[in-house]
Amino acid sequence: MGQVSPPQKTEFPFNVATTQASRALIRVHQYLRGELLKRGGADDVLVSPEVCHQQMAAIETVLGFFGANFDPSALKARRAYPKIGPLDYGQIRAGVLYALKDATDWQTYNQIAERIVALHKLQLTPAQRKHFLQKLREGTHALKRAGAVVCERPGTRLGENTFEQRWRLSSLFD
C-alpha cells in the first residue's frame, strides 16, 4: 500500500473552516515540543519523547491535509505544568468573592481561606495550605485590579508586612 499524499489547499475536499482546529493542533504541537525540552531539566515530563515525536508527526500530517502553512521552527515551544492546586481554574477568585459577600466586616487572607476551605471541604497539608494562601493572595490582587475588591490599607509595598491586610467587596457589589 503506497503512501497517500495530502491534497493541496485548493483540493481540500470539505467546505468547512479549519482555522480553529489548525490553531488548536498547533498549540498541542508547541506543548509536545515543550515536553521534549523538559527531558534534560528538573521539570516533570508529562509525555514520553517517543509519543511526542509520534503525535507531532501526526499533527503535521493533519495540518498538511488542512492546507495550513505550518513551520514548526517558527513557533516557540510551550511547557505544560501539572495542576497542583486543590481547586479548578477560577474557583479561588470565585471563593474570595463568595467569602467577602457573606462577611460583615473586613476579612484577612486567613479568614477568606478558611471560608473557601470549608466551602469545598478541603484537607490541606501545611505545605499545601502555604501554596493555597499564596494563590489566594494572587487571586485577591487580581480581583483588586479588576475593581471587585478593595483593601483596607492601599499603597502598602512589598515587605511592609507589619500588619495583615484585610479585604472587602468594592462598591460594585452594593
Side-chain angles (χ1 to χ4, degrees):
M1 192 182 271
Q3 185 154 349
V4 178
S5 62
Q8 299 301 319
K9 188 172 186 176
T10 57
E11 297 176 31
F12 187 72
F14 308 112
N15 187 18
V16 294
T18 59
T19 305
Q20 288 181 328
S22 296
R23 287 179 180 161
L25 287 171
I26 289 169
R27 277 191 299 276
V28 172
H29 195 281
Q30 288 176 291
Y31 280 116
L32 290 169
R33 284 186 39 225
E35 287 298 303
L36 292 175
L37 294 176
K38 286 184 186 179
R39 285 190 313 198
D43 295 330
D44 292 337
V45 176
L46 304 175
V47 182
S48 72
E50 298 79 25
V51 172
C52 285
H53 288 295
Q54 180 184 24
Q55 297 307 318
M56 287 167 54
I59 289 171
E60 290 169 14
T61 301
V62 171
L63 289 172
F65 180 67
F66 284 170
N69 184 11
F70 178 63
D71 179 14
S73 63
L75 300 170
K76 287 175 57 176
R78 294 181 176 193
R79 291 180 186 230
Y81 298 98
K83 177 182 165 286
I84 58 173
L87 299 176
D88 289 334
Y89 179 79
Q91 286 187 319
I92 288 182
R93 292 182 193 183
V96 169
L97 295 174
Y98 178 79
L100 293 176
K101 178 182 172 210
D102 287 345
T104 57
D105 196 14
W106 295 92
Q107 298 290 298
T108 65
Y109 292 117
N110 283 313
Q111 290 169 325
I112 296 168
E114 287 304 319
R115 181 78 178 173
I116 295 170
V117 166
L119 175 69
H120 292 282
K121 299 177 179 94
L122 301 175
Q123 301 291 324
L124 302 175
T125 65
Q128 288 172 326
R129 181 170 173 78
K130 182 179 177 183
H131 183 262
F132 181 77
L133 278 170
Q134 179 58 36
K135 292 300 176 187
L136 178 86
R137 283 185 206 95
E138 292 169 7
T140 305
H141 281 278
L143 289 169
K144 178 185 173 190
R145 284 190 302 276
V149 299
V150 293
C151 58
E152 185 178 30
R153 297 181 181 146
T156 306
R157 294 200 167 109
L158 185 64
E160 294 178 6
N161 54 353
T162 57
F163 60 89
E164 191 170 9
Q165 185 67 273
R166 298 189 314 168
W167 299 87
R168 68 174 171 84
L169 289 178
S170 73
S171 59
L172 292 174
F173 295 93
D174 289 339

